[in-house]
Amino acid sequence: MKKLALLAPLALTACMTNAYDEDPYDGPDSVMDGAYRAIGNEPFWSLDISDGRMSFRNADGYAASESNFAFTPDPRLGDVYQGQRIRATVIDRRCSDGMSDRTYPDTVTVEIGTQVWRGCGAPLRFFETTDERGEQ
């Protein structure tokens, strides 16, 4: 039982909030305002949302995409992007990927069938303008 207690903090680092007062990215309120990327690790995966398309890919070679999906802002759940196969929930809560010092503005959950991936996300501009520490 002690071993499980020691491993619990490691499991939480995949997507945790932090105590920073400043938002590391002051960008669009909605993913629909521009290109967006979410990433996660253990296992590695990515989700891109742009030009009316959601594209998911993981390290095992699995890929899925949607060209028709609905956007629903939900004050309790966050922004929900629902296609026939992919459901992505973006919550405005800072997140750390657990592998770098970068802090992302959003916590993201992706569901495809019974599989669930948890990670962090930001508008694509965030990835292009910040370093591994999340600094510009």
Side-chain angles (χ1 to χ4, degrees):
M1 187 66 166
K2 288 183 181 179
K3 288 181 183 177
L4 288 176
L6 293 173
L7 293 175
L10 293 173
L12 294 175
T13 61
C15 196
M16 59 183 225
T17 59
N18 63 39
Y20 296 117
D21 291 332
E22 296 178 21
D23 191 341
Y25 177 81
D26 187 20
D29 292 334
S30 163
V31 171
M32 298 306 280
D33 293 334
Y36 189 87
R37 174 167 293 149
I39 60 170
N41 53 52
E42 297 186 27
F44 291 102
W45 61 268
S46 67
L47 174 76
D48 288 302
I49 303 174
S50 71
D51 299 326
R53 179 175 219 67
M54 285 194 292
S55 299
F56 176 87
R57 183 173 313 273
N58 72 11
D60 295 332
Y62 177 77
S65 65
E66 298 267 0
S67 56
N68 294 316
F69 58 91
F71 165 68
T72 308
D74 186 322
R76 294 175 298 116
L77 299 176
D79 292 342
V80 179
Y81 301 84
Q82 178 72 54
Q84 289 184 342
R85 295 174 41 198
I86 303 171
R87 176 185 172 96
T89 305
V90 178
I91 301 171
D92 183 18
R93 181 183 312 137
R94 290 184 193 93
C95 180
S96 171
D97 65 11
M99 293 190 71
S100 70
D101 292 331
R102 184 180 275 179
T103 300
Y104 301 83
D106 301 324
T107 298
V108 179
T109 302
V110 177
E111 300 169 67
I112 301 175
T114 59
Q115 295 289 316
V116 178
W117 292 270
R118 290 181 175 79
C120 305
L124 190 56
R125 288 187 295 151
F126 177 84
F127 289 89
E128 295 169 347
T129 60
T130 60
D131 61 17
E132 283 298 312
R133 295 183 310 269
E135 297 176 0
Q136 294 188 1

